Amino acid sequence: MSDLAIADVRNRAILLMVIAIFCFTLMDASAKALAPRIGVLPTVWARYAGQMALVLILVAPRLKTVAQTSQPVLQFLRSILLMSATAFFFTGISLIPLSDAAALMALNPVLITLGAALFLGEPLGLRRIGGIAVALIGALIIIRPGSAVFSLAALLPLAAAGCYSAYTLFTRRLGPDEDVWTSLFYTGLVGTVLLTLAVPFVWQTPDLIAWGLIGMITLFGTFGQLALIRAFSQGEASMLAPYSYTGLVFAALWGAIFFSEMPDVWTIFGALVIAGAGLYVWHRETFRR
C-alpha cells in the first residue's frame, strides 16, 4: 500500500473516531433531556435496549457463534460494570452541567493506566504517576470540594469513570481471542435483561417528545457504535486515542445550545488539565512502544 493510501486510511479512521464521539455526546445530551421526563432508569434501559437491537440485527446470521464465550463470568462482570458506568453518568448529567460531567469522565485514560499497573502488572513509571496525579488535580479543580459550588452529584461522573475504567481492564483480561461482537452481545444482553426486570417498577409512560428522545438515543448510540468499531478496524488505538478529547468540546457545545449551560473558567481550566494529563500519558505509552 502506498504512503498516500495509508494516509487516506488513517484520515478516514480519524474522521470516523470524531463522528463516533460526536454521536455519543449527542446521545448523552438526549439522555440529559429525557431523564427528567421518564426517569434515569428508563433512560438507561432505552440505551441498552437500543444497543441490543442493533447487535442482534448485525449478528443475526451468526448469532449462535457470537453467543459462545469461554469467559462467561468475566463477560458478566464487565457488563455489570459498563451498565453501572452508564447509570452513574446518566444520573450525573441529569443533575450537573454536561460539560462538567464530560470533563470528569475524561479521567478514563489515566485511571485505566493506573489500574493496568495495579491489577495487570503493566509498568508504571514516575512520569505516568505524575500524569495521573495531574489529572486528579484537574478533577478537583472542577468539583472544588469544600467550596460553595461543590455538590455530591459531581461525584457521579467520577464513579462512572471508575466503573468504565474497570470495565476496560476486564475487557483487556478477556484477551484477543474473544470476538469483539461476543463482547458487544453480552454487554447489551446483560444490561437489557437486568434493566427490563427493574424498569416496570419505575416506568413512566413517555409522551411524544420523550419517544422522540428515546429514538435519538438509539439512533446516536447505534451510529456512534458503528463508527467506533469501523474507526478501530482501520486505525490503531494509540493513534485514535487523543481524538476522544473532542468530546469535551462537543459536550460544552451541546450544554450551551440545548441547556443554556455555560462552563465557568474553573471547569474549562480543569478540563484542559485533565486532557493535557491524558495526552501526556498517551504520548508516553505510544512512544514507549
Side-chain angles (χ1 to χ4, degrees), residues 24 60 99 117 133 140 154 160:
F24 286 143
S99 57
L140 291 175

Side-chain angles (χ1 to χ4, degrees), residues 82-275:
L82 184 60
M83 184 182 68
S84 300
T86 306
F88 281 131
F89 190 73
F90 279 12
T91 304
I93 61 177
S94 70
L95 299 171
I96 66 173
L98 194 58
S99 57
D100 290 24
L104 293 169
M105 191 67 180
L107 282 169
N108 281 327
V110 290
L111 291 181
I112 291 169
T113 300
L114 178 61
L118 294 177
F119 303 110
L120 300 182
E122 295 186 8
L124 183 66
L126 289 176
R127 292 177 180 175
R128 290 187 186 178
I129 293 174
I132 293 168
V134 170
L136 294 176
I137 290 172
L140 291 175
I141 291 172
I142 295 172
I143 62 178
R144 280 160 281 172
S147 70
V149 299
F150 171 75
S151 68
L152 291 176
L155 300 179
L156 291 169
L158 287 178
C163 288
Y164 186 82
S165 300
Y167 153 81
T168 302
L169 295 175
F170 273 106
T171 301
R172 285 190 183 181
R173 283 293 299 270
L174 281 175
D177 295 333
E178 193 82 340
D179 189 346
V180 64
W181 289 104
T182 299
S183 296
L184 281 173
F185 173 79
Y186 279 101
T187 53
L189 178 66
V190 172
T192 300
V193 170
L194 293 181
L195 292 167
T196 299
L197 293 175
V199 80
F201 298 99
V202 294
W203 180 255
Q204 302 177 44
T205 303
D207 57 18
L208 188 60
I209 294 177
W211 279 117
L213 290 169
I214 289 173
M216 291 172 68
I217 288 174
T218 301
L219 181 66
F220 290 129
T222 297
F223 276 106
Q225 196 69 48
L226 286 172
L228 191 70
I229 292 170
R230 192 66 176 165
F232 281 104
S233 69
Q234 296 186 18
E236 297 177 356
S238 59
M239 178 191 70
L240 297 173
Y243 296 94
S244 64
Y245 288 107
T246 57
L248 296 176
V249 178
F250 291 139
L253 183 63
W254 308 144
I257 293 175
F258 300 124
F259 307 104
S260 299
E261 297 172 350
M262 299 302 296
D264 60 23
V265 64
W266 291 109
T267 297
I268 295 173
F269 180 56
L272 290 174
V273 170
I274 291 173

